[in-house]
Amino acid sequence: MAGFCVVNDVSEREYQLERGPQWDKGKGCDTFGPIGPWLVTADEIPNPQKLGLWLDLNGQSMQVGNTRTMIFSVAKIVSYVSQFMTLLPGDVITTGTPPRCRYGA
């Protein structure tokens, strides 16, 4: 594993909620998964299950959470995905937003 980065998991809620039950329609549009701008190497993150996460938009707190509340650990996700596909250098696995992520300030 090379490391960790931020992925903006953009969603189009209208597509998700009003156009049928599948969430992928609202997540696969062009520009909907910007990554970065930095990659933190794995040796810089001693425990990826203890990372504070937050999103501020124009100076206003929109989300606050922590990776400790993820349903599946990073290690479990990588293990699971690798059962179905060959992971190669440069592949990216996104985990989504941890549950119980507080919205708003």
Side-chain angles (χ1 to χ4, degrees), residues 4 45-51 66-77:
F4 302 92
I45 305 291
N47 185 345
Q49 299 313 138
K50 291 185 177 180
L51 297 175
N66 195 294
T67 58
R68 73 175 169 268
T69 65
M70 291 170 60
I71 296 170
F72 301 108
S73 70
V74 171
K76 181 73 174 176
I77 293 168

Side-chain angles (χ1 to χ4, degrees), residues 14-65:
E14 179 182 333
Y15 287 4
Q16 291 176 318
L17 300 174
E18 297 177 10
R19 296 185 182 195
Q22 294 298 319
W23 290 98
D24 62 334
K25 290 188 299 297
K27 294 200 173 274
C29 299
D30 291 348
T31 75
F32 269 32
I35 299 174
W38 297 280
L39 174 70
V40 178
T41 58
D43 64 319
E44 296 178 82
I45 305 291
N47 185 345
Q49 299 313 138
K50 291 185 177 180
L51 297 175
L53 304 171
W54 66 92
L55 170 66
D56 293 343
L57 178 63
N58 297 326
Q60 181 179 353
S61 176
M62 303 300 286
Q63 288 181 299
V64 177

Side-chain angles (χ1 to χ4, degrees), residues 72-91:
F72 301 108
S73 70
V74 171
K76 181 73 174 176
I77 293 168
V78 173
S79 173
Y80 182 78
V81 169
S82 68
Q83 294 176 47
F84 304 102
M85 63 182 68
T86 302
L87 296 173
L88 300 172
D91 286 347

